[in-house]
């Protein structure tokens, strides 16, 4: 299926106060797709959206909308609408007037405005909320008003900046489904920003992973999860054990002192590589049948499975298993060829992947500090 | 302890307001006796309304208060608008301190320095009446601007800084975004600023005393000149009227502010309750 490119960024760079926030970004966004910009806090996601919306101008490069450069087009003339991170609803207007704002500017007749707002309220499940004060709505309801206010203008592209970040977990899950449905029903291109990898994987047609102002990888959620291009992506998306390895031959990878069969080829002989093994792809077996053997140093019950930390030659692996093993046990591990993913070395090599300092407490702490950064 | 606290508070309030209460009481006295309340009457109010000088002064005061409040509201609001996007916090701090100086400065210093300036400039321009309505207007507008600025500028800080961008995003030109979104958000600040400026102008004696000429007198100045001869209860009546007017305005301006606060608190409470409900569900 060949789809039209709605938005293209060509060689876009942007600096603030002499610091390069976006570095030579090149990408295109296809019509009617749900694309997610995924990356840690501060990597430049919001800046990229603001460039597309027209609130910032790039230092270098061109932004194209349906093939035409729009660098000099002001925000109010772009057929792009934004759902702001903290909603930015107009406090002096009620729900109806907030949603009708764009239509009033277009000077549409009153009945038409009334009808469209009504339809929109139905779409976002806020029937009967017309006269409500927006400041007295719950976070989830404000969120819906913000979406309705943007969608009513039938933009070509809707930009959403971490729209669910302020909602609690359950509501967030529900809204993810609703947003995805809205996108399908309206056929509007969604450019969605989040730092939550689970959200990105579950909603998107295309995921774009950004780090340090550069695009690391663009692909479908499955591609990104199964075939991460480097250690950063592997670590950021889901849990992964990332190991130093050597490709001794096509389909042969050596790491942790064992040569494994794998499905990757095309590397130079004895090329140093990064190896990714997902925790759920490792099988626990008796020692004598194990390709690798190690000692269990920690076990955490996670409901569906146990999260087991295994020390193998000083490298702490994380594996997930439904069978219980006790700390101190000597166990064997077995890995199928297609569970081994081989990546070229990158500047992110050796920065991630070892679970030696891992503990739930630490993870919670880093989650908290991330929230504070918002 | 609590009762002592209460008694103390009541005592202080009583001491603060006793003189005013006595003044109000004696404005309704039937004779000009200052020591004894001989009976209730509106005699002195009638007497006051018969005096042409008092009426002229009242008219002057109102004209001055309204025009200086309008001018200072315009200028103060524009200053707040101009400075709202300033990112350099040192320059901003400096400007705020400079705006605060006229409020901190003793009135007598402001008054004398302004008079000096007006006389100096008037002499340079070869004017006859160097002090007149216009000098008073300039003086009042000047000391009122900080009050307006200090009421409007926080409104910009309280406003979500993405609101103007949201307006642009939905199709407003920058000018439309200002009038349709920013202005309504700061409007209550502008109203409060206007009322306070109006009150300050009504209330001012010291600065007006130095900056007014003989042909344009305000009420406070008239009262002062009346007391020079002999204090009669019609002055009490006049003072009572001014107190009531100013009190009303202050209550009004407080109400416009506190109504908003109350609404905000209510909204917050509702939001928390809703969040709790959502968490439970
Ligand atoms: N207007 C600005 N002025 C100065 N620095 C900015 C501005 N906007 C963003 N930045 C900086 O750019 C970096 C990226 O910001 P942002 O795009 O908001 O990241 P993200 O949305 O991915 O968390 C941050 O370090 C931030 O401090
Ligand atoms: Mg952001």
């Amino acid at each position: 299926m060949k789809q039209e490119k709605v938005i293209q960024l060509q060689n876009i760079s942007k600096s603030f106060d002499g610091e390069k926030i976006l570095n030579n970004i090149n990408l295109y966004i296809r019509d009617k797709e749900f694309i997610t910009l995924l990356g840690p806090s501060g990597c430049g996601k919001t800046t990229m959206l603001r460039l597309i919306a027209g609130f910032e101008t790039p230092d270098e490069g061109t932004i194209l909308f349906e093939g035409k450069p729009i660098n000099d087009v002001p925000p109010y003339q772009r057929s792009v609408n934004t759902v702001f991170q903290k909603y930015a609803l107009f406090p002096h207007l009620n729900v109806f007037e907030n949603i009708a704002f764009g239509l009033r500017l277009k000077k549409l007749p009153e009945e038409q405005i009334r009808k469209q707002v009504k339809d929109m309220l139905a779409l976002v499940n806020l029937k009967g909320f017309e006269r409500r004060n927006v400041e007295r709505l719950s976070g989830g309801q404000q969120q819906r008003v913000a979406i309705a206010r943007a969608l009513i203008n039938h933009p070509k592209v809707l930009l959403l900046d971490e729209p669910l970040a302020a909602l609690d977990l359950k509501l967030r899950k529900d809204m993810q489904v609703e947003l995805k449905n809205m996108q399908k029903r309206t056929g509007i291109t969604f450019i969605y920003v989040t730092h939550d990898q689970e959200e990105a994987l579950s909603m998107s047609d295309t995921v774009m992973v950004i780090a340090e102002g550069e695009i690391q990888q663009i692909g479908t959620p499955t591609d990104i999860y199964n075939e991460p291009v480097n250690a950063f992506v592997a670590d950021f998306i889901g849990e992964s054990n990332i190991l130093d390895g050597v490709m001794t031959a096509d389909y042969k990878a050596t790491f942790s002192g064992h040569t494994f069969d794998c499905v990757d080829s095309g590397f130079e002989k004895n090329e140093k590589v990064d190896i990714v093994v997902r925790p759920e792809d490792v099988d626990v077996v008796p020692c004598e049948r194990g390709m690798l053997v190690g000692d269990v140093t920690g076990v955490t019950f996670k409901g569906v499975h146990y999260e087991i930390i295994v020390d193998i030659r000083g490298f702490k692996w994380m594996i997930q298993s439904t069978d219980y093993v006790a700390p101190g046990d000597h166990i064997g591990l077995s890995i199928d060829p297609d569970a081994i993913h081989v990546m070229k070395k990158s500047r992110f090599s050796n920065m991630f992947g070892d679970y030696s300092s891992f503990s739930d407490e630490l993870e919670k702490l880093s989650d908290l500090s991330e929230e504070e950064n918002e | 302890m609590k009762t002592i606290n209460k008694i103390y508070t009541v005592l202080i309030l009583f001491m603060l307001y006793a003189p005013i209460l006595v003044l109000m009481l004696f404005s309704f006295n039937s004779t000009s006796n200052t020591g004894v309340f001989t009976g209730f009457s509106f005699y002195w109010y009638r007497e006051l309304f018969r005096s042409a000088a008092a009426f002229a002064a009242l008219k002057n005061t109102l004209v001055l208060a309204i025009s200086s409040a309008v001018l200072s509201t315009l200028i103060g609001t524009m200053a707040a608008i101009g400075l709202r996007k300033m990112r350099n916090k040192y320059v901003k701090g400096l400007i705020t301190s400079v705006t605060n100086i006229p409020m901190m400065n003793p009135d007598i210093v402001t008054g004398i320095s302004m008079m000096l300036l007006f006389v100096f400039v008037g002499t340079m321009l070869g004017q006859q009446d160097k002090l007149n309505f216009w000098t008073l207007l300039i003086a009042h507008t000047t000391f009122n601007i900080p009050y307006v600025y200090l009421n409007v500028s926080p409104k910009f800080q309280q406003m979500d800084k993405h609101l103007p961008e949201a307006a642009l995003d939905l199709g407003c030109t920058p000018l439309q975004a200002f009038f349709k979104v920013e202005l309504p958000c700061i409007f209550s600040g502008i109203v409060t600023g206007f009322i306070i400026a109006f009150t300050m102008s009504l209330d001012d004696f010291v600065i007006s005393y130095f900056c007014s000429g003989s042909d344009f007198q305000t009420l406070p100045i008239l009262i002062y000149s009346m007391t020079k001869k002999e204090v009669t209860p019609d002055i009490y009546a006049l003072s009572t009227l001014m107190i009531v007017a100013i009190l009303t305005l202050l209550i009004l301006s407080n109400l416009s502010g506190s109504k908003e606060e109350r609404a905000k608190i209510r909204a917050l409470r509702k939001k928390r309750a809703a969040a709790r409900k959502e968490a439970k569900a």
Side-chain angles (χ1 to χ4, degrees):
Chain A
M1 182 168 55
K2 181 144 170 45
Q3 280 166 314
E4 193 191 349
K5 295 171 183 171
V6 217
I7 287 182
Q8 275 174 279
L9 304 194
Q10 294 177 336
N11 311 317
I12 293 290
S13 293
K14 177 77 185 171
S15 303
F16 286 117
D17 311 322
E19 201 186 329
K20 208 148 204 173
I21 302 302
L22 293 178
N23 189 9
N24 198 26
I25 297 282
N26 281 288
L27 71 97
Y28 61 85
I29 290 159
R30 281 183 296 250
D31 199 16
K32 297 187 176 25
E33 86 174 323
F34 193 124
I35 185 170
T36 299
L37 313 187
L38 174 65
S41 272
C43 71
K45 304 181 296 291
T46 299
T47 306
M48 217 182 283
L49 279 198
R50 292 173 60 79
L51 285 165
I52 296 172
F55 302 130
E56 307 279 358
T57 45
D59 299 339
E60 291 163 38
T62 318
I63 303 174
L64 300 165
F65 185 85
E66 295 183 325
K68 288 186 224 68
I70 51 164
N71 284 32
D72 300 325
V73 177
Y76 50 93
Q77 285 168 3
R78 300 190 182 190
S79 25
V80 167
N81 283 115
T82 309
V83 175
F84 289 84
Q85 193 159 2
K86 294 199 175 90
Y87 318 142
L89 299 178
F90 303 127
H92 60 290
L93 301 177
N94 62 20
V95 171
F96 182 95
E97 290 302 329
N98 261 280
I99 298 177
F101 195 87
L103 299 185
R104 291 226 185 281
L105 285 168
K106 287 183 199 140
K107 304 216 159 33
L108 257 59
E110 186 66 28
E111 315 136 52
Q112 217 169 324
I113 292 179
R114 215 167 278 155
K115 175 163 185 320
Q116 289 196 33
V117 173
K118 207 171 159 224
D119 292 348
M120 242 338 127
L121 281 168
L123 181 78
V124 297
N125 279 329
L126 281 180
K127 270 187 202 159
F129 277 68
E130 283 88 346
R131 307 274 153 239
R132 293 283 196 94
N133 179 338
V134 290
E135 289 197 305
R136 298 192 198 165
L137 300 178
S138 72
Q141 292 165 341
Q142 291 190 349
Q143 175 66 70
R144 289 153 199 266
V145 176
I147 292 169
R149 182 179 72 174
L151 278 182
I152 203 166
N153 304 296
H154 301 295
K156 265 287 198 196
V157 176
L158 186 69
L159 310 175
L160 302 105
D161 193 356
E162 312 216 12
L164 308 182
L167 306 183
D168 56 52
L169 187 68
K170 179 159 187 324
L171 194 59
R172 196 154 68 212
K173 298 268 178 216
D174 294 346
M175 281 301 290
Q176 286 175 9
V177 178
E178 274 190 50
L179 273 176
K180 181 75 200 171
N181 288 341
M182 270 181 226
Q183 192 262 337
K184 276 195 203 136
R185 242 183 299 166
T186 54
I188 292 172
T189 309
F190 274 35
I191 305 181
Y192 190 95
V193 160
T194 183
H195 66 261
D196 180 342
Q197 45 100 9
E198 235 181 278
E199 194 167 288
L201 294 183
S202 65
M203 298 171 82
S204 327
D205 300 323
T206 306
V207 176
M208 189 169 100
V209 183
I210 309 165
E212 298 174 6
E214 289 177 6
I215 298 176
Q216 303 299 329
Q217 188 169 5
I218 304 180
T220 64
T222 14
D223 283 351
I224 301 262
Y225 188 83
N226 292 334
E227 312 276 332
V229 293
N230 61 33
F232 176 84
V233 178
D235 181 72
F236 196 71
I237 313 284
E239 302 288 350
S240 15
N241 301 291
I242 304 170
L243 301 111
D244 278 328
V246 177
M247 287 303 281
T248 41
D250 278 353
Y251 311 112
K252 293 280 178 206
T254 304
F255 56 93
S256 296
H258 182 93
T259 300
F260 292 82
D261 289 329
C262 67
V263 294
D264 296 84
S265 62
F267 291 87
E268 280 168 41
K269 192 167 166 54
N270 289 330
E271 182 174 343
K272 287 189 171 162
V273 290
D274 283 332
I275 305 285
V276 182
V277 181
R278 297 289 184 186
E280 68 272 19
D281 293 339
V282 183
D283 295 321
V284 179
V285 294
C287 284
E288 56 280 9
R289 284 193 8 234
M291 299 168 175
L292 302 172
V293 286
D295 299 309
V296 177
T297 62
V299 181
T300 318
F301 180 57
K302 287 285 178 182
V304 192
H305 55 249
Y306 294 97
E307 209 162 78
I308 304 162
I309 306 294
V310 187
D311 188 331
I312 296 170
R313 298 172 150 222
F315 187 95
K316 298 274 195 343
W317 287 60
M318 180 205 269
I319 60 177
Q320 292 166 352
S321 163
T322 47
D323 300 323
Y324 179 75
V325 293
D329 280 2
H330 203 56
I331 58 169
L333 302 182
S334 162
I335 305 166
D336 285 346
D338 60 3
I340 294 167
H341 173 64
V342 183
M343 307 179 302
K344 291 241 178 224
K345 282 276 176 198
S346 69
R347 70 193 154 96
F348 296 105
S349 298
N350 303 324
M351 286 165 64
F352 309 102
D354 184 0
Y355 285 88
S356 55
S357 61
F358 179 79
S359 82
D360 279 355
E361 219 166 302
L362 257 173
E363 197 171 55
K364 260 179 214 143
L365 279 178
S366 67
D367 276 359
L368 275 181
S369 63
E370 210 162 76
E371 271 164 28
E372 269 162 25
N373 284 338
E374 291 307 306
Chain B
M1 199 59 215
K2 260 193 186 151
T3 39
I4 293 179
N5 251 340
K6 266 186 198 155
I7 293 171
Y8 189 72
T9 316
V10 170
L11 210 67
I12 286 195
L13 282 178
F14 178 74
M15 299 241 237
L16 277 176
Y17 288 101
I20 294 176
L21 291 177
V22 173
L23 176 125
M24 285 180 163
L25 179 70
F26 275 90
S27 71
F28 294 107
N29 205 350
S30 56
T31 61
S32 65
N33 201 320
T34 8
V36 195
F37 193 75
T38 47
F40 184 90
S41 90
F42 282 108
Y43 176 78
W44 296 110
Y45 284 86
R46 273 196 299 273
E47 197 68 354
L48 176 71
F49 285 110
R50 236 177 264 143
S51 142
F55 256 104
L58 178 68
K59 196 196 80 199
N60 287 349
T61 305
L62 287 178
V63 167
L64 179 65
I66 290 172
S67 49
S68 72
V70 167
L71 268 182
S72 57
T73 302
L74 275 176
I75 297 171
T77 305
M78 286 201 292
I81 292 168
L83 290 169
R84 78 186 187 283
K85 280 183 187 148
M86 178 159 289
R87 274 180 64 197
N88 188 329
K89 62 173 185 268
Y90 299 106
V91 178
K92 197 163 188 174
L94 188 76
I95 289 169
T96 311
S97 326
V98 169
T99 347
N100 278 337
I101 292 174
M103 298 199 326
M104 313 295 265
N105 222 6
D107 279 357
I108 191 142
V109 177
T110 312
I112 291 180
S113 56
M114 285 213 174
M115 176 191 74
L116 211 65
L117 177 77
F118 294 142
V119 173
F120 175 70
V121 174
T123 313
M124 268 203 330
L125 297 176
Q127 265 185 331
Q128 282 297 315
D129 289 325
K130 292 173 190 84
L131 296 172
N132 50 34
F133 168 72
W134 300 105
T135 55
L136 258 184
L137 181 63
I138 293 172
H140 279 222
T141 306
T142 310
F143 74 70
N144 272 335
I145 289 172
Y147 293 100
V148 176
Y149 176 79
L150 289 177
N151 272 292
V152 177
S153 159
K155 291 285 165 197
F156 276 118
Q157 271 142 40
Q158 286 160 22
M159 188 179 78
D160 180 349
K161 66 177 189 314
H162 291 300
L163 288 185
E165 284 180 355
L168 292 182
D169 192 73
L170 294 166
C172 283
T173 62
L175 203 66
Q176 281 175 317
F178 177 75
F179 282 105
K180 282 182 194 293
V181 173
E182 286 187 271
L183 196 59
C185 287
I186 60 165
F187 195 70
S188 65
I190 297 177
V191 172
T192 314
F194 178 86
I195 293 176
I196 290 181
F198 183 82
T199 319
M200 287 292 161
S201 171
L202 275 192
D203 179 57
D204 177 71
F205 167 70
V206 180
I207 297 174
S208 306
Y209 184 73
F210 287 102
C211 299
S212 61
S214 51
D215 54 350
F216 193 93
Q217 284 201 323
T218 63
L219 268 184
I221 295 172
L222 176 77
I223 294 172
Y224 182 69
S225 62
M226 279 158 85
T227 56
K228 272 190 186 151
K229 291 173 235 152
E230 185 200 354
V231 186
T232 49
D234 55 346
I235 296 170
Y236 307 159
L238 192 53
S239 307
T240 303
L241 289 180
M242 281 186 77
I243 290 163
V244 170
I246 287 172
L247 207 66
T248 316
L249 284 172
L250 279 181
I251 289 172
L252 271 183
S253 80
N254 268 337
L255 265 167
S256 74
S258 64
K259 210 163 115 194
E260 239 167 62
E261 298 297 304
R262 275 203 303 270
K264 261 197 200 123
I265 291 167
R266 229 176 306 147
L268 207 69
R269 247 190 243 138
K270 270 211 174 152
K271 228 183 252 175
R272 283 217 196 100
R276 248 180 275 133
K277 237 191 221 163
E278 264 162 24
K280 263 191 213 153

